[in-house]
Amino acid sequence: MANFLIEGENRIGGELPIHGAKNAALPILAAALLTRRSVLHNCPDLSDVRAAAHILEHLGCTVEREGDTVIVESDDGVYCDIPDGLMREMRSSVVFLGAILTRCGRARVSFPGGCELGPRPIDIHLASLERMGVNIKEDHGDLDCTIDGKMVGTELNLPFPSVGATENILLAAVLAEGTTVIHNAAREPEIQDLAGFLTAIGAKIHLKNDGTIVVEGVETLLPEVEYRVIPDRIATATYLCAAAATGGELLVTKTEPEYLAAVLPMFEEMGCQVKTGPDLIYLKGPRRLRPVRMVRTMPYPGFPTDAQAPFMALSTLAQGTSVFVENIFESRYKHAAELMRMGARIKVEGRVAVVEGVPALHSAQVRCTDLRGGAALCIAALAAAGVSRVSDIAHIERGYERLEEHLSSLGAKITRE
Ligand code: EPZ
């Protein structure tokens, strides 16, 4: 396993163009099964994206990368099963289910397990697909899914606006018989981007402001598409946290400030200066951060759960107490114990965490527990006195493209061990 060695107390600043969004690229790569040739620009080079490419290759597609462009080609011979090994490589491989069912009329995938964030059931995915006419049989840890004829459009009320379930339903509904209406659907920008890709290949999708999505099934989809993936809002927030934690000055470009409407005011509450432009965000960190009264993670457009850990790292250095309530995942505070090795003061009680800020952190040996938790440890190490060793960085490489290269270009002293 590789580690990062990070020497702290260096201001992070300068200009950084942000890469494409992991959580948009993954469902769009699954959707590439519904057409013959997809040219995806701004597709981030991440281990999760490579895992999705492995799944597409296993299903019979060819996948080529040229810089930040990925080209997916599929002909008639598409398979419809994903072996356990590939499913476990990436938790969100479950979104291939809807695409394979639409492409092949049947699918066999292994049941996705839990992950570092606690239990991750897919009951909403399965219940919705069953309502659309899919027969689902559990068979020795696998899900064997078949359809008699075509999937059928129907009215769905999701008990929770699940991102993954909304994506699977969209992928299942585009060629279904009739109209699918999804009430209480997820509204994340990544959902809008998947709908944008599907519309670009001829799907009929209407996103309403109240979280309702209407999909009119069509007969066929277009064989070719060229599409640009949206910028990564969580990577944007993470780099801004690195600048704020070190009193730096950063301009993030090629990003979308609107996607961070629930996040930017938190930076201001903590004493940062924030300015935005059409596709850029400027932030200047204060000499000493102020606490953030309350961070409640919510489905979009609320505060994103994926930014909770980076913000917690920031709040460990604030002059006062910050409170976090994690409403999306059951156990998404594993980074707290690691931050406490660096001198942070954090109390976790179920879904609530209380962070009492300290004047300074010190270096330590810390271990990434998950993707965003790993990013939080890097932010803390950038601010801490001394050299920290951050291990198990494979977690970080799932969601951040060339993190150490970008941080070095912004003034960080970071090396890979
Ligand atoms: C997506 O995960 C993201 N992953 C996650 O980002 C993100 O944290 C999450 O949405 C919430 O925003 C990708 O897009 C690849 P959900 P997903 O279905 O689709 C429960 C990162 O760091 N639930 O909205 O798995 C579930 O257990 C990752 O980039 C059910 O109970 O999220 C969870 O508590 C981490 N039954 C909550 O809903 C279901 O059938 C949110 O899950 C589905 C979900």
Side-chain angles (χ1 to χ4, degrees), residues 22-24 26-27 48 90-95 115 117-126 159-167 186 188 190 233-234 298-300 304-306 327-330 332 351 370-372 398-399:
K22 166 180 82 81
N23 292 347
L26 297 178
D48 270 10
M90 174 183 64
R91 206 216 108 76
S92 43
S93 40
V94 68
V95 292
C115 84
L117 311 180
R120 306 267 300 264
I122 56 167
D123 52 315
I124 306 174
H125 300 237
L126 302 183
F160 180 87
S162 154
V163 171
T166 303
E167 291 166 347
E188 274 67 6
E190 295 77 25
R233 61 193 167 109
I234 306 300
M298 298 291 281
Y300 191 86
T305 172
D306 297 344
N327 290 311
I328 309 295
F329 290 105
E330 242 173 66
R332 196 168 202 177
R351 289 178 179 267
D370 58 77
L371 164 58
R372 308 303 172 183
R398 291 187 37 230

Side-chain angles (χ1 to χ4, degrees), residues 54-75:
H54 295 155
I55 291 176
L56 286 168
E57 283 158 352
H58 170 84
L59 294 171
C61 305
T62 61
V63 184
E64 301 288 331
R65 176 178 281 278
E66 288 159 18
D68 73 355
T69 297
V70 167
I71 300 154
V72 181
E73 289 189 312
S74 72
D75 59 20

Side-chain angles (χ1 to χ4, degrees), residues 178-201:
T179 301
T180 302
V181 181
I182 317 170
H183 297 288
N184 195 28
R187 290 187 264 175
E188 274 67 6
E190 295 77 25
I191 297 283
Q192 298 163 28
D193 208 25
L194 173 62
F197 176 88
L198 292 168
T199 303
I201 57 174

Side-chain angles (χ1 to χ4, degrees), residues 157-172:
N157 284 290
L158 303 191
F160 180 87
S162 154
V163 171
T166 303
E167 291 166 347
N168 252 328
I169 298 165
L170 281 176
L171 292 163

